[in-house]
PDB file of all heavy atoms in Angstrom:
ATOM      1  N   THR A   1       0.820  -1.208   0.000  1.00  0.00           N
ATOM      2  CA  THR A   1       0.000   0.000   0.000  1.00  0.00           C
ATOM      3  C   THR A   1       0.853   1.256   0.000  1.00  0.00           C
ATOM      4  O   THR A   1       1.992   1.247   0.472  1.00  0.00           O
ATOM      5  CB  THR A   1      -0.940   0.010   1.225  1.00  0.00           C
ATOM      6  OG1 THR A   1      -1.780   1.164   1.164  1.00  0.00           O
ATOM      7  CG2 THR A   1      -0.155   0.038   2.524  1.00  0.00           C
ATOM      8  N   GLU A   2       0.287   2.309  -0.533  1.00  0.00           N
ATOM      9  CA  GLU A   2       0.886   3.633  -0.410  1.00  0.00           C
ATOM     10  C   GLU A   2       0.514   4.214   0.954  1.00  0.00           C
ATOM     11  O   GLU A   2      -0.520   3.869   1.528  1.00  0.00           O
ATOM     12  CB  GLU A   2       0.368   4.553  -1.519  1.00  0.00           C
ATOM     13  CG  GLU A   2       0.710   4.105  -2.925  1.00  0.00           C
ATOM     14  CD  GLU A   2       2.193   4.140  -3.206  1.00  0.00           C
ATOM     15  OE1 GLU A   2       2.888   4.969  -2.575  1.00  0.00           O
ATOM     16  OE2 GLU A   2       2.666   3.336  -4.035  1.00  0.00           O
ATOM     17  N   PRO A   3       1.324   5.108   1.480  1.00  0.00           N
ATOM     18  CA  PRO A   3       0.945   5.773   2.735  1.00  0.00           C
ATOM     19  C   PRO A   3      -0.374   6.517   2.564  1.00  0.00           C
ATOM     20  O   PRO A   3      -0.603   7.182   1.555  1.00  0.00           O
ATOM     21  CB  PRO A   3       2.108   6.740   2.990  1.00  0.00           C
ATOM     22  CG  PRO A   3       3.253   6.181   2.200  1.00  0.00           C
ATOM     23  CD  PRO A   3       2.658   5.530   0.989  1.00  0.00           C
ATOM     24  N   SER A   4      -1.240   6.394   3.533  1.00  0.00           N
ATOM     25  CA  SER A   4      -2.560   7.006   3.431  1.00  0.00           C
ATOM     26  C   SER A   4      -2.574   8.383   4.074  1.00  0.00           C
ATOM     27  O   SER A   4      -2.222   8.524   5.244  1.00  0.00           O
ATOM     28  CB  SER A   4      -3.609   6.124   4.116  1.00  0.00           C
ATOM     29  OG  SER A   4      -4.842   6.809   4.221  1.00  0.00           O
ATOM     30  N   PRO A   5      -3.012   9.409   3.340  1.00  0.00           N
ATOM     31  CA  PRO A   5      -3.120  10.737   3.966  1.00  0.00           C
ATOM     32  C   PRO A   5      -4.207  10.781   5.037  1.00  0.00           C
ATOM     33  O   PRO A   5      -4.175  11.646   5.908  1.00  0.00           O
ATOM     34  CB  PRO A   5      -3.482  11.653   2.784  1.00  0.00           C
ATOM     35  CG  PRO A   5      -4.094  10.739   1.759  1.00  0.00           C
ATOM     36  CD  PRO A   5      -3.401   9.424   1.917  1.00  0.00           C
ATOM     37  N   LEU A   6      -5.149   9.832   4.977  1.00  0.00           N
ATOM     38  CA  LEU A   6      -6.215   9.804   5.978  1.00  0.00           C
ATOM     39  C   LEU A   6      -5.689   9.412   7.355  1.00  0.00           C
ATOM     40  O   LEU A   6      -6.265   9.786   8.376  1.00  0.00           O
ATOM     41  CB  LEU A   6      -7.312   8.826   5.554  1.00  0.00           C
ATOM     42  CG  LEU A   6      -8.136   9.205   4.323  1.00  0.00           C
ATOM     43  CD1 LEU A   6      -9.086   8.073   3.966  1.00  0.00           C
ATOM     44  CD2 LEU A   6      -8.912  10.488   4.560  1.00  0.00           C
ATOM     45  N   THR A   7      -4.624   8.635   7.373  1.00  0.00           N
ATOM     46  CA  THR A   7      -4.094   8.146   8.650  1.00  0.00           C
ATOM     47  C   THR A   7      -2.661   8.603   8.892  1.00  0.00           C
ATOM     48  O   THR A   7      -1.938   8.012   9.683  1.00  0.00           O
ATOM     49  CB  THR A   7      -4.165   6.608   8.703  1.00  0.00           C
ATOM     50  OG1 THR A   7      -3.436   6.061   7.590  1.00  0.00           O
ATOM     51  CG2 THR A   7      -5.600   6.126   8.641  1.00  0.00           C
ATOM     52  N   ALA A   8      -2.256   9.643   8.200  1.00  0.00           N
ATOM     53  CA  ALA A   8      -0.883  10.127   8.365  1.00  0.00           C
ATOM     54  C   ALA A   8      -0.633  10.565   9.807  1.00  0.00           C
ATOM     55  O   ALA A   8       0.456  10.386  10.346  1.00  0.00           O
ATOM     56  CB  ALA A   8      -0.625  11.290   7.403  1.00  0.00           C
ATOM     57  N   ASP A   9      -1.649  11.125  10.427  1.00  0.00           N
ATOM     58  CA  ASP A   9      -1.566  11.513  11.844  1.00  0.00           C
ATOM     59  C   ASP A   9      -2.667  10.758  12.572  1.00  0.00           C
ATOM     60  O   ASP A   9      -3.815  11.216  12.632  1.00  0.00           O
ATOM     61  CB  ASP A   9      -1.733  13.026  11.997  1.00  0.00           C
ATOM     62  CG  ASP A   9      -1.572  13.479  13.447  1.00  0.00           C
ATOM     63  OD1 ASP A   9      -1.407  12.607  14.327  1.00  0.00           O
ATOM     64  OD2 ASP A   9      -1.629  14.694  13.693  1.00  0.00           O
ATOM     65  N   LEU A  10      -2.330   9.609  13.121  1.00  0.00           N
ATOM     66  CA  LEU A  10      -3.342   8.767  13.753  1.00  0.00           C
ATOM     67  C   LEU A  10      -3.987   9.435  14.964  1.00  0.00           C
ATOM     68  O   LEU A  10      -5.136   9.148  15.300  1.00  0.00           O
ATOM     69  CB  LEU A  10      -2.727   7.429  14.163  1.00  0.00           C
ATOM     70  CG  LEU A  10      -2.484   6.428  13.034  1.00  0.00           C
ATOM     71  CD1 LEU A  10      -1.731   5.209  13.550  1.00  0.00           C
ATOM     72  CD2 LEU A  10      -3.798   5.995  12.397  1.00  0.00           C
ATOM     73  N   ASP A  11      -3.255  10.324  15.615  1.00  0.00           N
ATOM     74  CA  ASP A  11      -3.814  10.971  16.796  1.00  0.00           C
ATOM     75  C   ASP A  11      -4.972  11.897  16.448  1.00  0.00           C
ATOM     76  O   ASP A  11      -5.830  12.182  17.286  1.00  0.00           O
ATOM     77  CB  ASP A  11      -2.734  11.754  17.538  1.00  0.00           C
ATOM     78  CG  ASP A  11      -1.714  10.825  18.199  1.00  0.00           C
ATOM     79  OD1 ASP A  11      -2.066   9.656  18.427  1.00  0.00           O
ATOM     80  OD2 ASP A  11      -0.594  11.279  18.476  1.00  0.00           O
ATOM     81  N   THR A  12      -4.997  12.398  15.202  1.00  0.00           N
ATOM     82  CA  THR A  12      -6.096  13.288  14.801  1.00  0.00           C
ATOM     83  C   THR A  12      -7.076  12.596  13.856  1.00  0.00           C
ATOM     84  O   THR A  12      -8.058  13.213  13.431  1.00  0.00           O
ATOM     85  CB  THR A  12      -5.543  14.553  14.115  1.00  0.00           C
ATOM     86  OG1 THR A  12      -4.817  14.175  12.932  1.00  0.00           O
ATOM     87  CG2 THR A  12      -4.635  15.314  15.056  1.00  0.00           C
ATOM     88  N   ALA A  13      -6.831  11.319  13.515  1.00  0.00           N
ATOM     89  CA  ALA A  13      -7.708  10.601  12.587  1.00  0.00           C
ATOM     90  C   ALA A  13      -8.953  10.058  13.256  1.00  0.00           C
ATOM     91  O   ALA A  13      -9.843   9.530  12.596  1.00  0.00           O
ATOM     92  CB  ALA A  13      -6.937   9.453  11.923  1.00  0.00           C
ATOM     93  N   ILE A  14      -9.014  10.170  14.569  1.00  0.00           N
ATOM     94  CA  ILE A  14     -10.185   9.738  15.326  1.00  0.00           C
ATOM     95  C   ILE A  14     -10.499  10.797  16.374  1.00  0.00           C
ATOM     96  O   ILE A  14      -9.690  11.679  16.644  1.00  0.00           O
ATOM     97  CB  ILE A  14      -9.966   8.377  16.022  1.00  0.00           C
ATOM     98  CG1 ILE A  14      -8.737   8.432  16.933  1.00  0.00           C
ATOM     99  CG2 ILE A  14      -9.870   7.248  15.012  1.00  0.00           C
ATOM    100  CD1 ILE A  14      -8.525   7.202  17.769  1.00  0.00           C
ATOM    101  N   MET A  15     -11.669  10.684  16.957  1.00  0.00           N
ATOM    102  CA  MET A  15     -12.076  11.624  17.999  1.00  0.00           C
ATOM    103  C   MET A  15     -11.571  11.139  19.356  1.00  0.00           C
ATOM    104  O   MET A  15     -11.651   9.950  19.656  1.00  0.00           O
ATOM    105  CB  MET A  15     -13.604  11.740  18.019  1.00  0.00           C
ATOM    106  CG  MET A  15     -14.133  12.720  19.035  1.00  0.00           C
ATOM    107  SD  MET A  15     -15.923  12.870  18.883  1.00  0.00           S
ATOM    108  CE  MET A  15     -16.255  13.937  20.282  1.00  0.00           C
ATOM    109  N   GLN A  16     -11.050  12.045  20.142  1.00  0.00           N
ATOM    110  CA  GLN A  16     -10.589  11.722  21.484  1.00  0.00           C
ATOM    111  C   GLN A  16     -11.583  12.254  22.503  1.00  0.00           C
ATOM    112  O   GLN A  16     -11.959  13.433  22.452  1.00  0.00           O
ATOM    113  CB  GLN A  16      -9.205  12.341  21.740  1.00  0.00           C
ATOM    114  CG  GLN A  16      -8.139  11.916  20.732  1.00  0.00           C
ATOM    115  CD  GLN A  16      -7.693  10.483  20.900  1.00  0.00           C
ATOM    116  OE1 GLN A  16      -7.985   9.850  21.906  1.00  0.00           O
ATOM    117  NE2 GLN A  16      -6.981   9.959  19.917  1.00  0.00           N
ATOM    118  N   VAL A  17     -12.041  11.406  23.412  1.00  0.00           N
ATOM    119  CA  VAL A  17     -12.937  11.835  24.471  1.00  0.00           C
ATOM    120  C   VAL A  17     -12.110  12.448  25.597  1.00  0.00           C
ATOM    121  O   VAL A  17     -11.149  11.842  26.074  1.00  0.00           O
ATOM    122  CB  VAL A  17     -13.775  10.653  25.000  1.00  0.00           C
ATOM    123  CG1 VAL A  17     -14.611  11.079  26.206  1.00  0.00           C
ATOM    124  CG2 VAL A  17     -14.679  10.111  23.895  1.00  0.00           C
ATOM    125  N   ASP A  18     -12.472  13.632  26.000  1.00  0.00           N
ATOM    126  CA  ASP A  18     -11.766  14.340  27.068  1.00  0.00           C
ATOM    127  C   ASP A  18     -11.913  13.544  28.371  1.00  0.00           C
ATOM    128  O   ASP A  18     -13.032  13.333  28.847  1.00  0.00           O
ATOM    129  CB  ASP A  18     -12.361  15.734  27.235  1.00  0.00           C
ATOM    130  CG  ASP A  18     -11.622  16.574  28.278  1.00  0.00           C
ATOM    131  OD1 ASP A  18     -10.732  16.030  28.965  1.00  0.00           O
ATOM    132  OD2 ASP A  18     -11.957  17.757  28.416  1.00  0.00           O
ATOM    133  N   PRO A  19     -10.801  13.098  28.967  1.00  0.00           N
ATOM    134  CA  PRO A  19     -10.914  12.319  30.213  1.00  0.00           C
ATOM    135  C   PRO A  19     -11.557  13.108  31.347  1.00  0.00           C
ATOM    136  O   PRO A  19     -12.110  12.523  32.282  1.00  0.00           O
ATOM    137  CB  PRO A  19      -9.465  11.953  30.534  1.00  0.00           C
ATOM    138  CG  PRO A  19      -8.632  12.913  29.759  1.00  0.00           C
ATOM    139  CD  PRO A  19      -9.413  13.251  28.532  1.00  0.00           C
ATOM    140  N   ASP A  20     -11.525  14.439  31.273  1.00  0.00           N
ATOM    141  CA  ASP A  20     -12.158  15.249  32.315  1.00  0.00           C
ATOM    142  C   ASP A  20     -13.678  15.191  32.242  1.00  0.00           C
ATOM    143  O   ASP A  20     -14.361  15.559  33.200  1.00  0.00           O
ATOM    144  CB  ASP A  20     -11.701  16.705  32.206  1.00  0.00           C
ATOM    145  CG  ASP A  20     -10.252  16.880  32.640  1.00  0.00           C
ATOM    146  OD1 ASP A  20      -9.768  16.033  33.419  1.00  0.00           O
ATOM    147  OD2 ASP A  20      -9.606  17.838  32.193  1.00  0.00           O
ATOM    148  N   SER A  21     -14.227  14.757  31.080  1.00  0.00           N
ATOM    149  CA  SER A  21     -15.682  14.752  30.935  1.00  0.00           C
ATOM    150  C   SER A  21     -16.321  13.771  31.914  1.00  0.00           C
ATOM    151  O   SER A  21     -17.413  14.027  32.435  1.00  0.00           O
ATOM    152  CB  SER A  21     -16.080  14.398  29.498  1.00  0.00           C
ATOM    153  OG  SER A  21     -15.737  13.065  29.176  1.00  0.00           O
ATOM    154  N   GLU A  22     -15.641  12.640  32.202  1.00  0.00           N
ATOM    155  CA  GLU A  22     -16.203  11.690  33.152  1.00  0.00           C
ATOM    156  C   GLU A  22     -16.295  12.306  34.544  1.00  0.00           C
ATOM    157  O   GLU A  22     -17.310  12.148  35.238  1.00  0.00           O
ATOM    158  CB  GLU A  22     -15.367  10.407  33.195  1.00  0.00           C
ATOM    159  CG  GLU A  22     -15.894   9.390  34.200  1.00  0.00           C
ATOM    160  CD  GLU A  22     -15.248   8.016  34.069  1.00  0.00           C
ATOM    161  OE1 GLU A  22     -14.797   7.665  32.958  1.00  0.00           O
ATOM    162  OE2 GLU A  22     -15.208   7.288  35.079  1.00  0.00           O
ATOM    163  N   ARG A  23     -15.272  13.038  34.944  1.00  0.00           N
ATOM    164  CA  ARG A  23     -15.309  13.684  36.260  1.00  0.00           C
ATOM    165  C   ARG A  23     -16.420  14.730  36.323  1.00  0.00           C
ATOM    166  O   ARG A  23     -17.103  14.871  37.343  1.00  0.00           O
ATOM    167  CB  ARG A  23     -13.946  14.301  36.571  1.00  0.00           C
ATOM    168  CG  ARG A  23     -12.866  13.271  36.884  1.00  0.00           C
ATOM    169  CD  ARG A  23     -11.592  13.940  37.358  1.00  0.00           C
ATOM    170  NE  ARG A  23     -10.854  14.528  36.256  1.00  0.00           N
ATOM    171  CZ  ARG A  23      -9.976  13.862  35.498  1.00  0.00           C
ATOM    172  NH1 ARG A  23      -9.750  12.584  35.747  1.00  0.00           N
ATOM    173  NH2 ARG A  23      -9.335  14.462  34.522  1.00  0.00           N
ATOM    174  N   ALA A  24     -16.613  15.458  35.218  1.00  0.00           N
ATOM    175  CA  ALA A  24     -17.659  16.477  35.189  1.00  0.00           C
ATOM    176  C   ALA A  24     -19.042  15.845  35.274  1.00  0.00           C
ATOM    177  O   ALA A  24     -19.926  16.340  35.992  1.00  0.00           O
ATOM    178  CB  ALA A  24     -17.536  17.316  33.917  1.00  0.00           C
ATOM    179  N   VAL A  25     -19.244  14.741  34.536  1.00  0.00           N
ATOM    180  CA  VAL A  25     -20.530  14.051  34.564  1.00  0.00           C
ATOM    181  C   VAL A  25     -20.809  13.523  35.973  1.00  0.00           C
ATOM    182  O   VAL A  25     -21.923  13.649  36.500  1.00  0.00           O
ATOM    183  CB  VAL A  25     -20.557  12.905  33.535  1.00  0.00           C
ATOM    184  CG1 VAL A  25     -21.758  11.986  33.764  1.00  0.00           C
ATOM    185  CG2 VAL A  25     -20.595  13.460  32.117  1.00  0.00           C
ATOM    186  N   THR A  26     -19.794  12.919  36.588  1.00  0.00           N
ATOM    187  CA  THR A  26     -19.971  12.352  37.925  1.00  0.00           C
ATOM    188  C   THR A  26     -20.272  13.441  38.955  1.00  0.00           C
ATOM    189  O   THR A  26     -21.127  13.262  39.837  1.00  0.00           O
ATOM    190  CB  THR A  26     -18.712  11.567  38.328  1.00  0.00           C
ATOM    191  OG1 THR A  26     -18.452  10.557  37.342  1.00  0.00           O
ATOM    192  CG2 THR A  26     -18.896  10.899  39.681  1.00  0.00           C
ATOM    193  N   ALA A  27     -19.603  14.591  38.829  1.00  0.00           N
ATOM    194  CA  ALA A  27     -19.854  15.689  39.762  1.00  0.00           C
ATOM    195  C   ALA A  27     -21.273  16.229  39.603  1.00  0.00           C
ATOM    196  O   ALA A  27     -21.975  16.483  40.593  1.00  0.00           O
ATOM    197  CB  ALA A  27     -18.834  16.804  39.536  1.00  0.00           C
ATOM    198  N   ALA A  28     -21.715  16.386  38.339  1.00  0.00           N
ATOM    199  CA  ALA A  28     -23.073  16.879  38.096  1.00  0.00           C
ATOM    200  C   ALA A  28     -24.108  15.883  38.599  1.00  0.00           C
ATOM    201  O   ALA A  28     -25.167  16.271  39.107  1.00  0.00           O
ATOM    202  CB  ALA A  28     -23.265  17.149  36.605  1.00  0.00           C
ATOM    203  N   PHE A  29     -23.793  14.601  38.470  1.00  0.00           N
ATOM    204  CA  PHE A  29     -24.693  13.560  38.956  1.00  0.00           C
ATOM    205  C   PHE A  29     -24.861  13.674  40.476  1.00  0.00           C
ATOM    206  O   PHE A  29     -25.975  13.567  41.003  1.00  0.00           O
ATOM    207  CB  PHE A  29     -24.128  12.185  38.583  1.00  0.00           C
ATOM    208  CG  PHE A  29     -24.911  11.033  39.133  1.00  0.00           C
ATOM    209  CD1 PHE A  29     -26.054  10.593  38.505  1.00  0.00           C
ATOM    210  CD2 PHE A  29     -24.497  10.383  40.286  1.00  0.00           C
ATOM    211  CE1 PHE A  29     -26.786   9.529  39.015  1.00  0.00           C
ATOM    212  CE2 PHE A  29     -25.208   9.322  40.814  1.00  0.00           C
ATOM    213  CZ  PHE A  29     -26.362   8.893  40.164  1.00  0.00           C
ATOM    214  N   GLY A  30     -23.768  13.908  41.175  1.00  0.00           N
ATOM    215  CA  GLY A  30     -23.843  14.068  42.623  1.00  0.00           C
ATOM    216  C   GLY A  30     -24.705  15.253  43.027  1.00  0.00           C
ATOM    217  O   GLY A  30     -25.476  15.178  43.995  1.00  0.00           O
ATOM    218  N   ARG A  31     -24.604  16.345  42.261  1.00  0.00           N
ATOM    219  CA  ARG A  31     -25.414  17.529  42.569  1.00  0.00           C
ATOM    220  C   ARG A  31     -26.902  17.241  42.357  1.00  0.00           C
ATOM    221  O   ARG A  31     -27.752  17.702  43.128  1.00  0.00           O
ATOM    222  CB  ARG A  31     -24.972  18.713  41.701  1.00  0.00           C
ATOM    223  CG  ARG A  31     -23.616  19.271  42.097  1.00  0.00           C
ATOM    224  CD  ARG A  31     -23.345  20.601  41.431  1.00  0.00           C
ATOM    225  NE  ARG A  31     -23.254  20.497  39.980  1.00  0.00           N
ATOM    226  CZ  ARG A  31     -22.136  20.215  39.326  1.00  0.00           C
ATOM    227  NH1 ARG A  31     -21.011  19.989  39.995  1.00  0.00           N
ATOM    228  NH2 ARG A  31     -22.126  20.155  38.011  1.00  0.00           N
ATOM    229  N   TRP A  32     -27.227  16.469  41.303  1.00  0.00           N
ATOM    230  CA  TRP A  32     -28.627  16.101  41.056  1.00  0.00           C
ATOM    231  C   TRP A  32     -29.204  15.363  42.260  1.00  0.00           C
ATOM    232  O   TRP A  32     -30.300  15.667  42.720  1.00  0.00           O
ATOM    233  CB  TRP A  32     -28.729  15.243  39.795  1.00  0.00           C
ATOM    234  CG  TRP A  32     -30.089  14.622  39.581  1.00  0.00           C
ATOM    235  CD1 TRP A  32     -30.540  13.413  40.047  1.00  0.00           C
ATOM    236  CD2 TRP A  32     -31.187  15.197  38.873  1.00  0.00           C
ATOM    237  NE1 TRP A  32     -31.836  13.191  39.661  1.00  0.00           N
ATOM    238  CE2 TRP A  32     -32.263  14.267  38.940  1.00  0.00           C
ATOM    239  CE3 TRP A  32     -31.377  16.392  38.181  1.00  0.00           C
ATOM    240  CZ2 TRP A  32     -33.497  14.506  38.335  1.00  0.00           C
ATOM    241  CZ3 TRP A  32     -32.609  16.625  37.568  1.00  0.00           C
ATOM    242  CH2 TRP A  32     -33.648  15.696  37.659  1.00  0.00           C
ATOM    243  N   ARG A  33     -28.443  14.418  42.782  1.00  0.00           N
ATOM    244  CA  ARG A  33     -28.954  13.605  43.882  1.00  0.00           C
ATOM    245  C   ARG A  33     -29.089  14.439  45.170  1.00  0.00           C
ATOM    246  O   ARG A  33     -29.984  14.219  45.972  1.00  0.00           O
ATOM    247  CB  ARG A  33     -28.045  12.399  44.105  1.00  0.00           C
ATOM    248  CG  ARG A  33     -28.770  11.206  44.653  1.00  0.00           C
ATOM    249  CD  ARG A  33     -28.175   9.880  44.287  1.00  0.00           C
ATOM    250  NE  ARG A  33     -26.735   9.799  44.358  1.00  0.00           N
ATOM    251  CZ  ARG A  33     -26.044   8.717  43.983  1.00  0.00           C
ATOM    252  NH1 ARG A  33     -26.674   7.650  43.519  1.00  0.00           N
ATOM    253  NH2 ARG A  33     -24.743   8.708  44.055  1.00  0.00           N
ATOM    254  N   GLU A  34     -28.203  15.411  45.336  1.00  0.00           N
ATOM    255  CA  GLU A  34     -28.275  16.262  46.523  1.00  0.00           C
ATOM    256  C   GLU A  34     -29.506  17.167  46.501  1.00  0.00           C
ATOM    257  O   GLU A  34     -30.089  17.462  47.551  1.00  0.00           O
ATOM    258  CB  GLU A  34     -27.015  17.135  46.612  1.00  0.00           C
ATOM    259  CG  GLU A  34     -25.762  16.366  47.001  1.00  0.00           C
ATOM    260  CD  GLU A  34     -24.524  17.241  46.915  1.00  0.00           C
ATOM    261  OE1 GLU A  34     -24.678  18.454  46.607  1.00  0.00           O
ATOM    262  OE2 GLU A  34     -23.414  16.731  47.137  1.00  0.00           O
ATOM    263  N   LEU A  35     -29.911  17.607  45.309  1.00  0.00           N
ATOM    264  CA  LEU A  35     -30.963  18.612  45.197  1.00  0.00           C
ATOM    265  C   LEU A  35     -32.367  18.023  45.064  1.00  0.00           C
ATOM    266  O   LEU A  35     -33.348  18.763  45.184  1.00  0.00           O
ATOM    267  CB  LEU A  35     -30.684  19.528  43.990  1.00  0.00           C
ATOM    268  CG  LEU A  35     -29.418  20.400  44.099  1.00  0.00           C
ATOM    269  CD1 LEU A  35     -29.150  21.119  42.791  1.00  0.00           C
ATOM    270  CD2 LEU A  35     -29.557  21.391  45.242  1.00  0.00           C
ATOM    271  N   ARG A  36     -32.480  16.729  44.799  1.00  0.00           N
ATOM    272  CA  ARG A  36     -33.804  16.149  44.590  1.00  0.00           C
ATOM    273  C   ARG A  36     -34.524  15.951  45.932  1.00  0.00           C
ATOM    274  O   ARG A  36     -33.913  16.032  47.007  1.00  0.00           O
ATOM    275  CB  ARG A  36     -33.686  14.808  43.870  1.00  0.00           C
ATOM    276  CG  ARG A  36     -33.137  13.705  44.751  1.00  0.00           C
ATOM    277  CD  ARG A  36     -33.001  12.390  44.026  1.00  0.00           C
ATOM    278  NE  ARG A  36     -32.481  11.356  44.927  1.00  0.00           N
ATOM    279  CZ  ARG A  36     -32.196  10.121  44.557  1.00  0.00           C
ATOM    280  NH1 ARG A  36     -32.367   9.749  43.307  1.00  0.00           N
ATOM    281  NH2 ARG A  36     -31.736   9.250  45.439  1.00  0.00           N
TER     282      ARG A  36
END
């Protein structure tokens, strides 16, 4: 195969989920339970 321009930079060829998003979701979840 020839080198693919689609995968020349594998780090940007896919979407990366921000690891901080899990902490934010969990914190918001805790606030929901406190306020109900």
Side-chain angles (χ1 to χ4, degrees):
T1 183
E2 298 294 332
S4 170
L6 292 175
T7 57
D9 183 356
L10 284 174
D11 290 338
T12 61
I14 56 174
M15 182 176 175
Q16 303 288 347
V17 174
D18 183 353
D20 288 336
S21 67
E22 179 169 333
R23 288 187 284 274
V25 167
T26 303
F29 175 81
R31 289 192 296 273
W32 170 271
R33 209 152 42 184
E34 288 173 3
L35 295 173
R36 73 181 181 183

